[in-house]
Amino acid sequence: MRRRTLGELEVSAQGLGCMGMSEFYGPGDEDEAIATIHRALELGVDFLDTADMYGPFTNERLVGKAIAGRRDEVVLATKFGNQRGEDGAFLGVNGRPDYVRACADASLRRLGIEHIDLYYQHRVDPQVPIEDTVGAMSELVQAGKVRFLGLSEAAPETIRRAHTTHPITALQSEWSLWTRDPEVNGVLETVRELGIGFVAYSPLGRGFLTGAIKAPEDLPEGDTRRRHPRFSGELFSKNLELVARVEEVARRLEATPSQVALAWVLARGEDVVPIPGTKRRRYLEENVGADELVLGADELDALDEVFPPGAAAGDRYPDMSSVYR
């Protein structure tokens, strides 16, 4: 696995999103999830992504269990800010300084580690000045509890204000062939101007770009994607037509659609690190194969023609109010 840098933080060129191992994408299997994390480390994927709200709280414990005794092999990222209750209730976004400090300590305990490599604000709290939130995050760096700071789904002006308060190492947002918002809303331009790395979550379009989902019914009961506009009704059918074009390119290259979609993200620049999520070793191994797939100018042009910004039908979330603040 090649290496890339996010600001001053060196990580594998692909990371592993661990969210689906615990929630949102159907039932999980802890043994297979841990085996998947171990296989990722064997393959050189050392950048693991979790958050306190996944589970809630159980995903950090799972990741901590998987990396026990192997801490020096891992670059670990987690997040705070999407507040949830022990019963799973969603309680809103919280960026208050006292909450930041409490969340960091709780994450350290659940993960069983002494420091977090990359600590993100999961969503920006519009009720709290970003300077106050990042100021509290900066105190965690000074205390040795956190090495580097990140933001997720932040708007350009917010990123600038945060970076002035304390250097931001990485900005995490959704970026893929069917979600090209960062290219047109000023986010990508801003982070590159400031020397901030970009972490692309859902680089496979929440699994849509793999070609494995042919109908909404293919998603298991309880899968939150059933509520996402792009996976619903006529919008699903329109988006399925786009996926067919990825499959055409994949056939020509003797690759899988997943590998083509990931190779496209990897081709965006050396400051971009996709973090495809999976809970199974076989999909992890398939994704890692994208590291060796180089898309030529013809393939890149063909994909850009089919997937210009805004090509995907429907919003990416049922409620977009918490993104790009």
Side-chain angles (χ1 to χ4, degrees), residues 228-266:
H228 288 206
R230 293 182 180 180
F231 288 81
S232 304
E234 293 182 2
L235 300 180
F236 185 99
S237 299
K238 291 180 179 178
N239 289 324
L240 204 58
E241 295 173 6
L242 297 175
V243 175
R245 303 299 295 273
V246 180
E247 292 173 328
E248 291 175 10
V249 173
R251 283 192 293 270
R252 289 201 301 271
L253 296 174
E254 297 183 344
T256 68
S258 299
Q259 290 167 343
V260 170
L262 282 172
W264 182 88
V265 177
L266 288 164

PDB file of all heavy atoms in Angstrom, residues 228-266:
ATOM      1  N   HIS A 228     -32.397   7.047   2.406  1.00  0.00           N
ATOM      2  CA  HIS A 228     -31.655   8.064   1.679  1.00  0.00           C
ATOM      3  C   HIS A 228     -32.304   8.312   0.317  1.00  0.00           C
ATOM      4  O   HIS A 228     -32.647   7.364  -0.395  1.00  0.00           O
ATOM      5  CB  HIS A 228     -30.203   7.637   1.491  1.00  0.00           C
ATOM      6  CG  HIS A 228     -29.404   7.694   2.756  1.00  0.00           C
ATOM      7  ND1 HIS A 228     -28.047   7.873   2.781  1.00  0.00           N
ATOM      8  CD2 HIS A 228     -29.763   7.619   4.069  1.00  0.00           C
ATOM      9  CE1 HIS A 228     -27.606   7.886   4.022  1.00  0.00           C
ATOM     10  NE2 HIS A 228     -28.633   7.737   4.809  1.00  0.00           N
ATOM     11  N   PRO A 229     -32.464   9.568  -0.069  1.00  0.00           N
ATOM     12  CA  PRO A 229     -33.131   9.866  -1.338  1.00  0.00           C
ATOM     13  C   PRO A 229     -32.544   9.139  -2.542  1.00  0.00           C
ATOM     14  O   PRO A 229     -33.290   8.659  -3.402  1.00  0.00           O
ATOM     15  CB  PRO A 229     -32.957  11.388  -1.464  1.00  0.00           C
ATOM     16  CG  PRO A 229     -32.891  11.866  -0.041  1.00  0.00           C
ATOM     17  CD  PRO A 229     -32.134  10.791   0.688  1.00  0.00           C
ATOM     18  N   ARG A 230     -31.235   9.033  -2.624  1.00  0.00           N
ATOM     19  CA  ARG A 230     -30.607   8.439  -3.813  1.00  0.00           C
ATOM     20  C   ARG A 230     -30.887   6.940  -3.942  1.00  0.00           C
ATOM     21  O   ARG A 230     -30.669   6.365  -5.006  1.00  0.00           O
ATOM     22  CB  ARG A 230     -29.102   8.694  -3.793  1.00  0.00           C
ATOM     23  CG  ARG A 230     -28.755  10.153  -3.962  1.00  0.00           C
ATOM     24  CD  ARG A 230     -27.262  10.387  -3.992  1.00  0.00           C
ATOM     25  NE  ARG A 230     -26.974  11.810  -4.163  1.00  0.00           N
ATOM     26  CZ  ARG A 230     -25.752  12.319  -4.231  1.00  0.00           C
ATOM     27  NH1 ARG A 230     -24.696  11.527  -4.133  1.00  0.00           N
ATOM     28  NH2 ARG A 230     -25.578  13.621  -4.398  1.00  0.00           N
ATOM     29  N   PHE A 231     -31.337   6.328  -2.874  1.00  0.00           N
ATOM     30  CA  PHE A 231     -31.642   4.902  -2.885  1.00  0.00           C
ATOM     31  C   PHE A 231     -33.140   4.640  -2.994  1.00  0.00           C
ATOM     32  O   PHE A 231     -33.587   3.521  -2.768  1.00  0.00           O
ATOM     33  CB  PHE A 231     -31.113   4.236  -1.611  1.00  0.00           C
ATOM     34  CG  PHE A 231     -29.611   4.103  -1.566  1.00  0.00           C
ATOM     35  CD1 PHE A 231     -28.809   5.171  -1.192  1.00  0.00           C
ATOM     36  CD2 PHE A 231     -28.987   2.899  -1.895  1.00  0.00           C
ATOM     37  CE1 PHE A 231     -27.423   5.041  -1.142  1.00  0.00           C
ATOM     38  CE2 PHE A 231     -27.612   2.765  -1.839  1.00  0.00           C
ATOM     39  CZ  PHE A 231     -26.829   3.847  -1.474  1.00  0.00           C
ATOM     40  N   SER A 232     -33.904   5.670  -3.341  1.00  0.00           N
ATOM     41  CA  SER A 232     -35.355   5.550  -3.288  1.00  0.00           C
ATOM     42  C   SER A 232     -36.012   5.782  -4.649  1.00  0.00           C
ATOM     43  O   SER A 232     -35.633   6.697  -5.386  1.00  0.00           O
ATOM     44  CB  SER A 232     -35.936   6.564  -2.289  1.00  0.00           C
ATOM     45  OG  SER A 232     -35.358   6.414  -1.012  1.00  0.00           O
ATOM     46  N   GLY A 233     -36.993   4.951  -4.970  1.00  0.00           N
ATOM     47  CA  GLY A 233     -37.895   5.153  -6.094  1.00  0.00           C
ATOM     48  C   GLY A 233     -37.231   5.465  -7.420  1.00  0.00           C
ATOM     49  O   GLY A 233     -36.272   4.798  -7.838  1.00  0.00           O
ATOM     50  N   GLU A 234     -37.753   6.493  -8.093  1.00  0.00           N
ATOM     51  CA  GLU A 234     -37.253   6.864  -9.406  1.00  0.00           C
ATOM     52  C   GLU A 234     -35.802   7.334  -9.344  1.00  0.00           C
ATOM     53  O   GLU A 234     -35.048   7.168 -10.315  1.00  0.00           O
ATOM     54  CB  GLU A 234     -38.129   7.963 -10.003  1.00  0.00           C
ATOM     55  CG  GLU A 234     -39.548   7.521 -10.339  1.00  0.00           C
ATOM     56  CD  GLU A 234     -40.354   8.629 -10.966  1.00  0.00           C
ATOM     57  OE1 GLU A 234     -39.782   9.727 -11.169  1.00  0.00           O
ATOM     58  OE2 GLU A 234     -41.542   8.413 -11.253  1.00  0.00           O
ATOM     59  N   LEU A 235     -35.421   7.933  -8.222  1.00  0.00           N
ATOM     60  CA  LEU A 235     -34.036   8.390  -8.084  1.00  0.00           C
ATOM     61  C   LEU A 235     -33.083   7.201  -8.124  1.00  0.00           C
ATOM     62  O   LEU A 235     -31.995   7.299  -8.716  1.00  0.00           O
ATOM     63  CB  LEU A 235     -33.866   9.161  -6.775  1.00  0.00           C
ATOM     64  CG  LEU A 235     -34.735  10.417  -6.613  1.00  0.00           C
ATOM     65  CD1 LEU A 235     -34.468  11.070  -5.269  1.00  0.00           C
ATOM     66  CD2 LEU A 235     -34.485  11.405  -7.744  1.00  0.00           C
ATOM     67  N   PHE A 236     -33.466   6.105  -7.512  1.00  0.00           N
ATOM     68  CA  PHE A 236     -32.637   4.901  -7.539  1.00  0.00           C
ATOM     69  C   PHE A 236     -32.409   4.468  -8.984  1.00  0.00           C
ATOM     70  O   PHE A 236     -31.284   4.168  -9.386  1.00  0.00           O
ATOM     71  CB  PHE A 236     -33.310   3.785  -6.744  1.00  0.00           C
ATOM     72  CG  PHE A 236     -32.480   2.532  -6.618  1.00  0.00           C
ATOM     73  CD1 PHE A 236     -31.756   2.290  -5.472  1.00  0.00           C
ATOM     74  CD2 PHE A 236     -32.411   1.610  -7.653  1.00  0.00           C
ATOM     75  CE1 PHE A 236     -30.977   1.141  -5.354  1.00  0.00           C
ATOM     76  CE2 PHE A 236     -31.643   0.464  -7.551  1.00  0.00           C
ATOM     77  CZ  PHE A 236     -30.919   0.226  -6.398  1.00  0.00           C
ATOM     78  N   SER A 237     -33.468   4.421  -9.774  1.00  0.00           N
ATOM     79  CA  SER A 237     -33.359   3.965 -11.162  1.00  0.00           C
ATOM     80  C   SER A 237     -32.438   4.871 -11.979  1.00  0.00           C
ATOM     81  O   SER A 237     -31.629   4.384 -12.778  1.00  0.00           O
ATOM     82  CB  SER A 237     -34.747   3.912 -11.802  1.00  0.00           C
ATOM     83  OG  SER A 237     -35.579   2.999 -11.110  1.00  0.00           O
ATOM     84  N   LYS A 238     -32.550   6.173 -11.774  1.00  0.00           N
ATOM     85  CA  LYS A 238     -31.682   7.107 -12.501  1.00  0.00           C
ATOM     86  C   LYS A 238     -30.221   6.909 -12.115  1.00  0.00           C
ATOM     87  O   LYS A 238     -29.331   6.933 -12.968  1.00  0.00           O
ATOM     88  CB  LYS A 238     -32.125   8.537 -12.219  1.00  0.00           C
ATOM     89  CG  LYS A 238     -33.475   8.895 -12.824  1.00  0.00           C
ATOM     90  CD  LYS A 238     -33.852  10.333 -12.499  1.00  0.00           C
ATOM     91  CE  LYS A 238     -35.195  10.690 -13.118  1.00  0.00           C
ATOM     92  NZ  LYS A 238     -35.596  12.083 -12.779  1.00  0.00           N
ATOM     93  N   ASN A 239     -29.968   6.700 -10.844  1.00  0.00           N
ATOM     94  CA  ASN A 239     -28.591   6.510 -10.393  1.00  0.00           C
ATOM     95  C   ASN A 239     -28.025   5.171 -10.852  1.00  0.00           C
ATOM     96  O   ASN A 239     -26.820   5.040 -11.081  1.00  0.00           O
ATOM     97  CB  ASN A 239     -28.525   6.640  -8.872  1.00  0.00           C
ATOM     98  CG  ASN A 239     -28.736   8.065  -8.419  1.00  0.00           C
ATOM     99  OD1 ASN A 239     -28.302   9.012  -9.079  1.00  0.00           O
ATOM    100  ND2 ASN A 239     -29.437   8.249  -7.307  1.00  0.00           N
ATOM    101  N   LEU A 240     -28.885   4.190 -11.005  1.00  0.00           N
ATOM    102  CA  LEU A 240     -28.442   2.892 -11.487  1.00  0.00           C
ATOM    103  C   LEU A 240     -27.897   2.997 -12.918  1.00  0.00           C
ATOM    104  O   LEU A 240     -26.959   2.284 -13.289  1.00  0.00           O
ATOM    105  CB  LEU A 240     -29.598   1.895 -11.424  1.00  0.00           C
ATOM    106  CG  LEU A 240     -29.249   0.408 -11.344  1.00  0.00           C
ATOM    107  CD1 LEU A 240     -28.382   0.120 -10.129  1.00  0.00           C
ATOM    108  CD2 LEU A 240     -30.524  -0.428 -11.286  1.00  0.00           C
ATOM    109  N   GLU A 241     -28.440   3.914 -13.689  1.00  0.00           N
ATOM    110  CA  GLU A 241     -27.945   4.130 -15.046  1.00  0.00           C
ATOM    111  C   GLU A 241     -26.512   4.656 -15.024  1.00  0.00           C
ATOM    112  O   GLU A 241     -25.697   4.306 -15.897  1.00  0.00           O
ATOM    113  CB  GLU A 241     -28.852   5.114 -15.785  1.00  0.00           C
ATOM    114  CG  GLU A 241     -30.267   4.600 -16.014  1.00  0.00           C
ATOM    115  CD  GLU A 241     -31.182   5.652 -16.602  1.00  0.00           C
ATOM    116  OE1 GLU A 241     -30.677   6.750 -16.933  1.00  0.00           O
ATOM    117  OE2 GLU A 241     -32.391   5.388 -16.727  1.00  0.00           O
ATOM    118  N   LEU A 242     -26.192   5.476 -14.046  1.00  0.00           N
ATOM    119  CA  LEU A 242     -24.830   5.987 -13.915  1.00  0.00           C
ATOM    120  C   LEU A 242     -23.858   4.868 -13.555  1.00  0.00           C
ATOM    121  O   LEU A 242     -22.741   4.805 -14.078  1.00  0.00           O
ATOM    122  CB  LEU A 242     -24.773   7.077 -12.839  1.00  0.00           C
ATOM    123  CG  LEU A 242     -25.591   8.349 -13.089  1.00  0.00           C
ATOM    124  CD1 LEU A 242     -25.513   9.259 -11.883  1.00  0.00           C
ATOM    125  CD2 LEU A 242     -25.093   9.081 -14.331  1.00  0.00           C
ATOM    126  N   VAL A 243     -24.290   3.987 -12.675  1.00  0.00           N
ATOM    127  CA  VAL A 243     -23.426   2.888 -12.244  1.00  0.00           C
ATOM    128  C   VAL A 243     -23.076   1.987 -13.433  1.00  0.00           C
ATOM    129  O   VAL A 243     -21.971   1.444 -13.515  1.00  0.00           O
ATOM    130  CB  VAL A 243     -24.100   2.084 -11.123  1.00  0.00           C
ATOM    131  CG1 VAL A 243     -23.267   0.862 -10.753  1.00  0.00           C
ATOM    132  CG2 VAL A 243     -24.299   2.955  -9.889  1.00  0.00           C
ATOM    133  N   ALA A 244     -23.999   1.839 -14.360  1.00  0.00           N
ATOM    134  CA  ALA A 244     -23.733   1.011 -15.538  1.00  0.00           C
ATOM    135  C   ALA A 244     -22.525   1.505 -16.308  1.00  0.00           C
ATOM    136  O   ALA A 244     -21.778   0.697 -16.887  1.00  0.00           O
ATOM    137  CB  ALA A 244     -24.970   0.979 -16.437  1.00  0.00           C
ATOM    138  N   ARG A 245     -22.302   2.801 -16.289  1.00  0.00           N
ATOM    139  CA  ARG A 245     -21.140   3.346 -17.001  1.00  0.00           C
ATOM    140  C   ARG A 245     -19.838   3.019 -16.272  1.00  0.00           C
ATOM    141  O   ARG A 245     -18.804   2.815 -16.899  1.00  0.00           O
ATOM    142  CB  ARG A 245     -21.291   4.863 -17.164  1.00  0.00           C
ATOM    143  CG  ARG A 245     -22.568   5.266 -17.886  1.00  0.00           C
ATOM    144  CD  ARG A 245     -22.635   4.689 -19.306  1.00  0.00           C
ATOM    145  NE  ARG A 245     -21.606   5.237 -20.156  1.00  0.00           N
ATOM    146  CZ  ARG A 245     -21.752   6.381 -20.846  1.00  0.00           C
ATOM    147  NH1 ARG A 245     -22.891   7.058 -20.767  1.00  0.00           N
ATOM    148  NH2 ARG A 245     -20.773   6.820 -21.605  1.00  0.00           N
ATOM    149  N   VAL A 246     -19.886   2.978 -14.951  1.00  0.00           N
ATOM    150  CA  VAL A 246     -18.703   2.557 -14.185  1.00  0.00           C
ATOM    151  C   VAL A 246     -18.395   1.096 -14.502  1.00  0.00           C
ATOM    152  O   VAL A 246     -17.224   0.710 -14.660  1.00  0.00           O
ATOM    153  CB  VAL A 246     -18.929   2.741 -12.671  1.00  0.00           C
ATOM    154  CG1 VAL A 246     -17.692   2.304 -11.884  1.00  0.00           C
ATOM    155  CG2 VAL A 246     -19.256   4.183 -12.350  1.00  0.00           C
ATOM    156  N   GLU A 247     -19.434   0.288 -14.602  1.00  0.00           N
ATOM    157  CA  GLU A 247     -19.248  -1.125 -14.911  1.00  0.00           C
ATOM    158  C   GLU A 247     -18.630  -1.311 -16.291  1.00  0.00           C
ATOM    159  O   GLU A 247     -17.802  -2.213 -16.494  1.00  0.00           O
ATOM    160  CB  GLU A 247     -20.591  -1.844 -14.813  1.00  0.00           C
ATOM    161  CG  GLU A 247     -21.128  -1.908 -13.390  1.00  0.00           C
ATOM    162  CD  GLU A 247     -22.539  -2.457 -13.298  1.00  0.00           C
ATOM    163  OE1 GLU A 247     -23.323  -2.235 -14.258  1.00  0.00           O
ATOM    164  OE2 GLU A 247     -22.861  -3.111 -12.286  1.00  0.00           O
ATOM    165  N   GLU A 248     -18.980  -0.451 -17.245  1.00  0.00           N
ATOM    166  CA  GLU A 248     -18.388  -0.532 -18.586  1.00  0.00           C
ATOM    167  C   GLU A 248     -16.886  -0.280 -18.526  1.00  0.00           C
ATOM    168  O   GLU A 248     -16.092  -1.008 -19.139  1.00  0.00           O
ATOM    169  CB  GLU A 248     -19.044   0.491 -19.510  1.00  0.00           C
ATOM    170  CG  GLU A 248     -20.488   0.195 -19.870  1.00  0.00           C
ATOM    171  CD  GLU A 248     -21.113   1.317 -20.686  1.00  0.00           C
ATOM    172  OE1 GLU A 248     -20.361   2.226 -21.115  1.00  0.00           O
ATOM    173  OE2 GLU A 248     -22.340   1.292 -20.890  1.00  0.00           O
ATOM    174  N   VAL A 249     -16.488   0.758 -17.801  1.00  0.00           N
ATOM    175  CA  VAL A 249     -15.055   1.060 -17.659  1.00  0.00           C
ATOM    176  C   VAL A 249     -14.354  -0.087 -16.942  1.00  0.00           C
ATOM    177  O   VAL A 249     -13.249  -0.496 -17.331  1.00  0.00           O
ATOM    178  CB  VAL A 249     -14.859   2.383 -16.888  1.00  0.00           C
ATOM    179  CG1 VAL A 249     -13.373   2.617 -16.591  1.00  0.00           C
ATOM    180  CG2 VAL A 249     -15.433   3.555 -17.681  1.00  0.00           C
ATOM    181  N   ALA A 250     -14.971  -0.640 -15.933  1.00  0.00           N
ATOM    182  CA  ALA A 250     -14.370  -1.738 -15.176  1.00  0.00           C
ATOM    183  C   ALA A 250     -14.133  -2.950 -16.060  1.00  0.00           C
ATOM    184  O   ALA A 250     -13.074  -3.596 -15.981  1.00  0.00           O
ATOM    185  CB  ALA A 250     -15.261  -2.111 -13.989  1.00  0.00           C
ATOM    186  N   ARG A 251     -15.080  -3.258 -16.922  1.00  0.00           N
ATOM    187  CA  ARG A 251     -14.900  -4.412 -17.813  1.00  0.00           C
ATOM    188  C   ARG A 251     -13.716  -4.206 -18.746  1.00  0.00           C
ATOM    189  O   ARG A 251     -12.932  -5.136 -18.989  1.00  0.00           O
ATOM    190  CB  ARG A 251     -16.181  -4.661 -18.613  1.00  0.00           C
ATOM    191  CG  ARG A 251     -17.289  -5.355 -17.817  1.00  0.00           C
ATOM    192  CD  ARG A 251     -18.405  -5.842 -18.718  1.00  0.00           C
ATOM    193  NE  ARG A 251     -19.133  -4.730 -19.323  1.00  0.00           N
ATOM    194  CZ  ARG A 251     -20.207  -4.149 -18.769  1.00  0.00           C
ATOM    195  NH1 ARG A 251     -20.648  -4.566 -17.601  1.00  0.00           N
ATOM    196  NH2 ARG A 251     -20.830  -3.168 -19.393  1.00  0.00           N
ATOM    197  N   ARG A 252     -13.571  -3.012 -19.257  1.00  0.00           N
ATOM    198  CA  ARG A 252     -12.442  -2.738 -20.174  1.00  0.00           C
ATOM    199  C   ARG A 252     -11.106  -2.891 -19.464  1.00  0.00           C
ATOM    200  O   ARG A 252     -10.116  -3.313 -20.074  1.00  0.00           O
ATOM    201  CB  ARG A 252     -12.566  -1.327 -20.749  1.00  0.00           C
ATOM    202  CG  ARG A 252     -13.694  -1.159 -21.765  1.00  0.00           C
ATOM    203  CD  ARG A 252     -13.446   0.042 -22.652  1.00  0.00           C
ATOM    204  NE  ARG A 252     -13.330   1.280 -21.915  1.00  0.00           N
ATOM    205  CZ  ARG A 252     -14.351   2.079 -21.607  1.00  0.00           C
ATOM    206  NH1 ARG A 252     -15.580   1.731 -21.976  1.00  0.00           N
ATOM    207  NH2 ARG A 252     -14.163   3.202 -20.943  1.00  0.00           N
ATOM    208  N   LEU A 253     -11.075  -2.543 -18.202  1.00  0.00           N
ATOM    209  CA  LEU A 253      -9.820  -2.575 -17.441  1.00  0.00           C
ATOM    210  C   LEU A 253      -9.613  -3.888 -16.695  1.00  0.00           C
ATOM    211  O   LEU A 253      -8.603  -4.046 -16.004  1.00  0.00           O
ATOM    212  CB  LEU A 253      -9.799  -1.412 -16.436  1.00  0.00           C
ATOM    213  CG  LEU A 253      -9.808  -0.006 -17.041  1.00  0.00           C
ATOM    214  CD1 LEU A 253      -9.926   1.038 -15.943  1.00  0.00           C
ATOM    215  CD2 LEU A 253      -8.537   0.236 -17.856  1.00  0.00           C
ATOM    216  N   GLU A 254     -10.563  -4.803 -16.820  1.00  0.00           N
ATOM    217  CA  GLU A 254     -10.529  -6.073 -16.091  1.00  0.00           C
ATOM    218  C   GLU A 254     -10.393  -5.823 -14.595  1.00  0.00           C
ATOM    219  O   GLU A 254      -9.589  -6.441 -13.895  1.00  0.00           O
ATOM    220  CB  GLU A 254      -9.400  -6.975 -16.612  1.00  0.00           C
ATOM    221  CG  GLU A 254      -9.580  -7.374 -18.071  1.00  0.00           C
ATOM    222  CD  GLU A 254      -8.499  -8.322 -18.562  1.00  0.00           C
ATOM    223  OE1 GLU A 254      -7.456  -8.441 -17.882  1.00  0.00           O
ATOM    224  OE2 GLU A 254      -8.702  -8.947 -19.607  1.00  0.00           O
ATOM    225  N   ALA A 255     -11.200  -4.877 -14.142  1.00  0.00           N
ATOM    226  CA  ALA A 255     -11.244  -4.518 -12.721  1.00  0.00           C
ATOM    227  C   ALA A 255     -12.696  -4.593 -12.269  1.00  0.00           C
ATOM    228  O   ALA A 255     -13.588  -4.933 -13.049  1.00  0.00           O
ATOM    229  CB  ALA A 255     -10.680  -3.107 -12.516  1.00  0.00           C
ATOM    230  N   THR A 256     -12.934  -4.293 -11.016  1.00  0.00           N
ATOM    231  CA  THR A 256     -14.305  -4.253 -10.503  1.00  0.00           C
ATOM    232  C   THR A 256     -14.776  -2.794 -10.464  1.00  0.00           C
ATOM    233  O   THR A 256     -13.954  -1.860 -10.419  1.00  0.00           O
ATOM    234  CB  THR A 256     -14.395  -4.849  -9.096  1.00  0.00           C
ATOM    235  OG1 THR A 256     -13.707  -3.987  -8.174  1.00  0.00           O
ATOM    236  CG2 THR A 256     -13.782  -6.243  -9.051  1.00  0.00           C
ATOM    237  N   PRO A 257     -16.087  -2.567 -10.454  1.00  0.00           N
ATOM    238  CA  PRO A 257     -16.576  -1.195 -10.328  1.00  0.00           C
ATOM    239  C   PRO A 257     -16.049  -0.488  -9.078  1.00  0.00           C
ATOM    240  O   PRO A 257     -15.732   0.710  -9.119  1.00  0.00           O
ATOM    241  CB  PRO A 257     -18.098  -1.376 -10.276  1.00  0.00           C
ATOM    242  CG  PRO A 257     -18.354  -2.638 -11.017  1.00  0.00           C
ATOM    243  CD  PRO A 257     -17.186  -3.527 -10.684  1.00  0.00           C
ATOM    244  N   SER A 258     -15.939  -1.212  -7.980  1.00  0.00           N
ATOM    245  CA  SER A 258     -15.400  -0.618  -6.755  1.00  0.00           C
ATOM    246  C   SER A 258     -13.991  -0.104  -6.970  1.00  0.00           C
ATOM    247  O   SER A 258     -13.633   0.995  -6.534  1.00  0.00           O
ATOM    248  CB  SER A 258     -15.396  -1.649  -5.617  1.00  0.00           C
ATOM    249  OG  SER A 258     -16.690  -2.097  -5.317  1.00  0.00           O
ATOM    250  N   GLN A 259     -13.173  -0.895  -7.633  1.00  0.00           N
ATOM    251  CA  GLN A 259     -11.789  -0.494  -7.859  1.00  0.00           C
ATOM    252  C   GLN A 259     -11.704   0.720  -8.763  1.00  0.00           C
ATOM    253  O   GLN A 259     -10.873   1.612  -8.549  1.00  0.00           O
ATOM    254  CB  GLN A 259     -11.010  -1.669  -8.439  1.00  0.00           C
ATOM    255  CG  GLN A 259     -10.795  -2.791  -7.433  1.00  0.00           C
ATOM    256  CD  GLN A 259     -10.295  -4.082  -8.054  1.00  0.00           C
ATOM    257  OE1 GLN A 259     -10.390  -4.273  -9.264  1.00  0.00           O
ATOM    258  NE2 GLN A 259      -9.790  -4.985  -7.234  1.00  0.00           N
ATOM    259  N   VAL A 260     -12.568   0.791  -9.761  1.00  0.00           N
ATOM    260  CA  VAL A 260     -12.590   1.960 -10.646  1.00  0.00           C
ATOM    261  C   VAL A 260     -13.004   3.206  -9.871  1.00  0.00           C
ATOM    262  O   VAL A 260     -12.379   4.268  -9.997  1.00  0.00           O
ATOM    263  CB  VAL A 260     -13.533   1.720 -11.836  1.00  0.00           C
ATOM    264  CG1 VAL A 260     -13.754   3.014 -12.625  1.00  0.00           C
ATOM    265  CG2 VAL A 260     -12.968   0.648 -12.752  1.00  0.00           C
ATOM    266  N   ALA A 261     -14.060   3.084  -9.062  1.00  0.00           N
ATOM    267  CA  ALA A 261     -14.528   4.234  -8.294  1.00  0.00           C
ATOM    268  C   ALA A 261     -13.465   4.722  -7.310  1.00  0.00           C
ATOM    269  O   ALA A 261     -13.253   5.937  -7.148  1.00  0.00           O
ATOM    270  CB  ALA A 261     -15.814   3.873  -7.545  1.00  0.00           C
ATOM    271  N   LEU A 262     -12.775   3.797  -6.664  1.00  0.00           N
ATOM    272  CA  LEU A 262     -11.706   4.185  -5.738  1.00  0.00           C
ATOM    273  C   LEU A 262     -10.509   4.765  -6.471  1.00  0.00           C
ATOM    274  O   LEU A 262      -9.895   5.738  -6.013  1.00  0.00           O
ATOM    275  CB  LEU A 262     -11.272   2.981  -4.904  1.00  0.00           C
ATOM    276  CG  LEU A 262     -12.179   2.604  -3.747  1.00  0.00           C
ATOM    277  CD1 LEU A 262     -11.731   1.282  -3.124  1.00  0.00           C
ATOM    278  CD2 LEU A 262     -12.186   3.698  -2.686  1.00  0.00           C
ATOM    279  N   ALA A 263     -10.167   4.179  -7.616  1.00  0.00           N
ATOM    280  CA  ALA A 263      -9.035   4.693  -8.396  1.00  0.00           C
ATOM    281  C   ALA A 263      -9.303   6.122  -8.844  1.00  0.00           C
ATOM    282  O   ALA A 263      -8.375   6.938  -8.927  1.00  0.00           O
ATOM    283  CB  ALA A 263      -8.772   3.791  -9.596  1.00  0.00           C
ATOM    284  N   TRP A 264     -10.570   6.421  -9.139  1.00  0.00           N
ATOM    285  CA  TRP A 264     -10.922   7.799  -9.524  1.00  0.00           C
ATOM    286  C   TRP A 264     -10.638   8.756  -8.367  1.00  0.00           C
ATOM    287  O   TRP A 264     -10.066   9.826  -8.561  1.00  0.00           O
ATOM    288  CB  TRP A 264     -12.389   7.872  -9.923  1.00  0.00           C
ATOM    289  CG  TRP A 264     -12.815   9.234 -10.367  1.00  0.00           C
ATOM    290  CD1 TRP A 264     -12.746   9.757 -11.626  1.00  0.00           C
ATOM    291  CD2 TRP A 264     -13.338  10.280  -9.525  1.00  0.00           C
ATOM    292  NE1 TRP A 264     -13.210  11.059 -11.624  1.00  0.00           N
ATOM    293  CE2 TRP A 264     -13.579  11.403 -10.353  1.00  0.00           C
ATOM    294  CE3 TRP A 264     -13.640  10.370  -8.168  1.00  0.00           C
ATOM    295  CZ2 TRP A 264     -14.093  12.600  -9.863  1.00  0.00           C
ATOM    296  CZ3 TRP A 264     -14.151  11.567  -7.667  1.00  0.00           C
ATOM    297  CH2 TRP A 264     -14.377  12.657  -8.516  1.00  0.00           C
ATOM    298  N   VAL A 265     -11.013   8.396  -7.140  1.00  0.00           N
ATOM    299  CA  VAL A 265     -10.758   9.257  -5.987  1.00  0.00           C
ATOM    300  C   VAL A 265      -9.259   9.383  -5.744  1.00  0.00           C
ATOM    301  O   VAL A 265      -8.744  10.487  -5.512  1.00  0.00           O
ATOM    302  CB  VAL A 265     -11.460   8.721  -4.726  1.00  0.00           C
ATOM    303  CG1 VAL A 265     -11.131   9.589  -3.510  1.00  0.00           C
ATOM    304  CG2 VAL A 265     -12.970   8.665  -4.934  1.00  0.00           C
ATOM    305  N   LEU A 266      -8.545   8.270  -5.836  1.00  0.00           N
ATOM    306  CA  LEU A 266      -7.097   8.307  -5.622  1.00  0.00           C
ATOM    307  C   LEU A 266      -6.404   9.193  -6.647  1.00  0.00           C
ATOM    308  O   LEU A 266      -5.357   9.794  -6.362  1.00  0.00           O
ATOM    309  CB  LEU A 266      -6.528   6.887  -5.680  1.00  0.00           C
ATOM    310  CG  LEU A 266      -6.859   5.990  -4.488  1.00  0.00           C
ATOM    311  CD1 LEU A 266      -6.583   4.521  -4.826  1.00  0.00           C
ATOM    312  CD2 LEU A 266      -6.061   6.411  -3.260  1.00  0.00           C
TER     313      LEU A 266
END
